[in-house]
Amino acid sequence: MVTTTIVLSVVFALLAAGSNALGTVLQRRAALTVPASRSLRLGLIRDLLHTPVWFGGMLGVVFAALFQALALATGSLATVQPIFILELPLALVIGGLVFRVGVSRKAWICVACIVGGLALVLFSLAPTGGRDQVPGIWWVPGLAVTGGIGATLVLAGLRRPTGLMRAAFLAAAAAIGNAVTAALVKSAMNILTDQGAVAFFAAWQTYSFAAVGAFSLFLLGVAMQGGPLIGSQPALTLGDATVSFFLGVTLYGEQPRAGFWLVPALLGLSVLLYGIFGLSHTRCLAQCVDRSRDELGGIGEPAAARG
């Protein structure tokens, strides 16, 4: 029964990662067709609403959220969220098919490193146990710390000119928001399972994850316009997985394996990092996710993202 539950959570997490990858490809294209934003202007949403491809991206996000909720309802936060790292290679594959972009040998090697490294990390740490619900008072320091760090990253990003650092700061803030959203979704789904729909819609976690998730999605749109892919994608991918892992351990009491298992976990992490940064540098990923701004009527992509 436990094995079946774990398998279900992994399958739902993979489906969520795939849906999110599709949404990322379409939303990135939509974001590059609207006027660039130097601040958190609400007009960005109005511009996107007039872009048909953006609705396709939003549909991918909706299904991703559904699959994520199912994964978190059946699995641990520290296991489910890191699987979202696979969104990066899946975006490469989906973008390559949609935009007919050839995938280089280097890119495939990086994809293999991401998949293999992530599998080794999760197998080595294998978080187990944990509580179904976080005591109410425990949310206060957790939300205060993550909110404070996120706000600092947003302010730092908005003060930077368009470029790598601006994209990295804003994407890291969006990643923290995604991790907090996942933690709140898990709490809300447990309420739905244990207490029913009435308690679910009466719970503060339900409205909190909707608000934090919506703002994180908006923030990610600004980050996408803020600089090259090599700045935003690693920060988003690694940030979400890392913060989610620590929230799972601290808030939900999930227990990863330690001792000898840290050796293969660190090895897997090294391989994973190489794959993420290497893939983010490849030209084919930039073409799959960014495409060319010249094709879309915008400004050319910075050279750092085309290397």
Side-chain angles (χ1 to χ4, degrees):
M1 180 63 180
V2 175
T3 302
T4 302
T5 301
I6 294 175
V7 171
L8 277 176
S9 66
V10 171
V11 170
F12 284 134
L14 289 172
L15 289 172
S19 297
N20 223 30
L22 176 61
T24 295
V25 171
L26 298 181
Q27 285 185 54
R28 182 66 181 181
R29 176 159 186 153
L32 296 177
T33 63
V34 301
S37 174
R38 289 285 301 161
S39 61
L40 300 179
R41 65 182 184 89
L42 293 178
L44 175 61
I45 298 297
R46 184 186 65 248
D47 294 335
L48 290 173
L49 286 173
H50 290 85
T51 308
V53 71
W54 184 75
F55 287 98
M58 285 303 300
L59 190 61
V61 171
V62 170
F63 275 101
L66 175 61
F67 290 132
Q68 180 188 30
L70 292 173
L72 290 170
T74 56
S76 69
L77 183 66
T79 298
V80 169
Q81 284 303 108
I83 294 177
F84 272 75
I85 289 176
L86 295 180
E87 177 189 341
L88 184 59
L90 286 171
L92 172 70
V93 175
I94 293 173
L97 292 174
V98 170
F99 301 123
R100 299 180 182 178
V101 174
V103 179
S104 67
R105 181 172 177 270
K106 176 185 176 182
W108 284 121
I109 292 175
C110 291
V111 167
C113 287
I114 292 173
V115 175
L118 178 62
L120 183 56
V121 170
L122 291 179
F123 174 78
S124 300
L125 297 180
T128 57
R131 56 183 67 88
D132 291 333
Q133 197 57 259
V134 178
I137 193 64
W138 287 23
W139 284 108
V140 177
L143 294 178
V145 171
T146 53
I149 296 174
T152 301
L153 288 170
V154 170
L155 293 175
L158 292 177
R159 291 174 180 173
R160 298 299 195 279
T162 299
L164 188 146
M165 294 307 296
R166 179 183 175 91
F169 279 128
L170 293 175
I176 292 176
N178 288 341
V180 172
T181 299
L184 292 167
V185 166
K186 182 172 179 61
S187 179
M189 288 301 294
N190 286 331
I191 292 174
L192 177 63
T193 301
D194 296 338
Q195 303 176 41
V198 174
F200 173 79
F201 286 108
W204 66 269
Q205 291 94 328
T206 302
Y207 302 96
S208 295
F209 83 66
V212 176
F215 181 73
S216 299
L217 182 62
F218 168 66
L219 192 60
L220 179 58
V222 179
M224 284 178 171
Q225 289 193 322
L229 193 66
I230 183 57
S232 61
Q233 195 61 56
L236 178 68
T237 303
L238 294 173
D240 187 356
T242 302
V243 176
S244 293
F245 185 86
F246 281 106
L247 288 178
V249 172
T250 56
L251 290 181
Y252 283 93
E254 298 163 1
Q255 300 176 355
R257 292 193 289 199
F260 166 79
W261 291 104
L262 292 178
V263 176
L266 289 175
L267 176 61
L269 180 60
S270 299
V271 174
L272 177 63
L273 289 174
Y274 171 82
I276 290 174
F277 282 97
L279 186 57
S280 297
H281 271 97
T282 58
R283 179 189 297 270
C284 52
L285 181 66
Q287 291 175 334
C288 287
V289 180
D290 287 352
R291 299 294 289 157
S292 168
R293 283 183 181 268
D294 292 332
E295 293 179 29
L296 300 173
I299 303 171
E301 183 69 23
R306 301 195 303 266

